[in-house]
Amino acid sequence: MCLFGIGVGVLCEHFDTRLLSALGALISGLALVAASFCNSPWKLLLTQGLLYGFGGSLLYITGLTLPPQWFSKYRALATGIAIAGSGIGGLWLSTATRAMTSNLSRQWALRITGLVIIGVCGATCSLMKMRFKPEKRRKIIDLSVLCDKRFVLLFLGALFGSAGYFIPYYFMPSYAVVVLGKNSDWGANVSSIMNGASIAGRVVMGVLGDRVGSLNTLWAATLLSCLSILVLWLPFSSA
């Protein structure tokens, strides 16, 4: 999803965000439905990996471009509230997915989740309206930004910071089951707790971003995230 995000940013300059987000909802949902019929790892990589990642980037990146267009004074807070929605989704989806997998099957859990994405995200795409259309650049990819030291530092920070951000989300439920010896329901609860905490965290970071600056807030949040992994996660191999 991060890889495709570069191209989606360019598409946002040429096409209506409502169209792009609707296309992303359709591709994401169909990718999960297709993944439910896969019987080999490489097919899952193509469907739930690449195809779903492309559709998810169309939804996520277009959503991030809109709040800064509509808000000036409380821009960071508006962005924080917008991305807090993903935490709300993760709060119930982890438990729901576990329940569907236990009571139905993994295949039907993927199919139902895919249909929910198509229905819910598709219904809200009409609200994702651009305030103004950005000017089209002469160059699709402008490598001159690599000469800006501030951009390079921000890019590297986001590159390595994202690794520290996504790894706990993906592996903490498995860590709870495999290392701590908890059951799978406990692992799903850990994922729900993390998503629930992120709701408040994203809103609070938005408030701080408007008060002390977005970059200052970013570095502080990155430092706290690193410390939480080094102090609260890695040293412990049991409950």
Side-chain angles (χ1 to χ4, degrees):
M1 187 170 70
C2 296
L3 177 63
F4 289 120
I6 300 174
V8 173
V10 177
L11 291 177
C12 290
E13 298 179 354
H14 295 80
F15 300 98
D16 192 335
T17 51
R18 291 172 293 187
L19 174 62
L20 293 176
S21 57
L23 183 61
L26 181 61
I27 293 176
S28 299
L30 292 180
L32 294 183
V33 173
S36 68
F37 295 98
C38 295
N39 53 13
S40 61
W42 71 269
K43 293 179 181 179
L44 278 175
L45 179 62
L46 290 177
T47 54
Q48 195 171 354
L50 294 177
L51 191 59
Y52 178 79
F54 176 61
S57 65
L58 286 170
L59 282 170
Y60 187 72
I61 300 301
T62 52
L64 285 181
T65 62
L66 296 179
Q69 295 184 15
W70 291 93
F71 294 87
S72 178
K73 183 177 180 181
Y74 299 106
R75 180 173 295 172
L77 176 59
T79 304
I81 294 175
I83 62 176
S86 62
I88 297 174
L91 183 63
W92 66 267
L93 188 58
S94 299
T95 304
T97 301
R98 176 59 192 164
M100 288 186 290
T101 303
S102 301
N103 298 320
L104 298 174
S105 65
R106 179 187 63 83
Q107 290 81 2
W108 274 107
L110 286 171
R111 293 165 193 166
I112 293 174
T113 303
L115 294 176
V116 169
I117 290 176
I118 294 175
V120 175
C121 295
T124 57
C125 288
S126 60
L127 303 176
M128 300 179 66
K129 182 180 179 181
M130 301 175 67
R131 185 177 183 182
F132 55 84
K133 194 171 183 178
E135 297 182 0
K136 295 182 180 180
R137 293 176 296 178
R138 296 181 179 179
K139 297 181 180 180
I140 296 179
I141 300 178
D142 188 1
L143 298 180
S144 63
V145 295
L146 298 178
C147 298
D148 189 338
K149 295 181 180 179
R150 294 172 299 179
F151 175 83
V152 173
L153 289 174
L154 181 61
F155 172 78
L156 292 176
L159 177 65
F160 293 105
S162 295
Y165 173 78
F166 285 111
I167 287 176
Y169 269 94
Y170 288 141
F171 292 101
M172 186 66 80
S174 300
Y175 181 86
V177 175
V178 176
V179 179
L180 301 183
K182 303 295 183 179
N183 57 40
S184 55
D185 291 333
W186 207 89
N189 292 336
V190 169
S191 180
S192 297
I193 292 173
M194 292 179 64
N195 281 284
S198 72
I199 299 172
R202 292 168 182 177
V203 176
V204 170
M205 290 299 106
V207 174
L208 292 177
D210 288 323
R211 291 179 177 270
V212 301
S214 299
L215 284 179
N216 293 331
T217 305
L218 174 62
W219 297 126
T222 302
L223 177 61
L224 290 175
S225 298
C226 292
L227 290 177
S228 67
I229 294 176
L230 294 174
V231 177
L232 299 179
W233 185 15
L234 294 182
F236 301 100
S237 59
S238 64

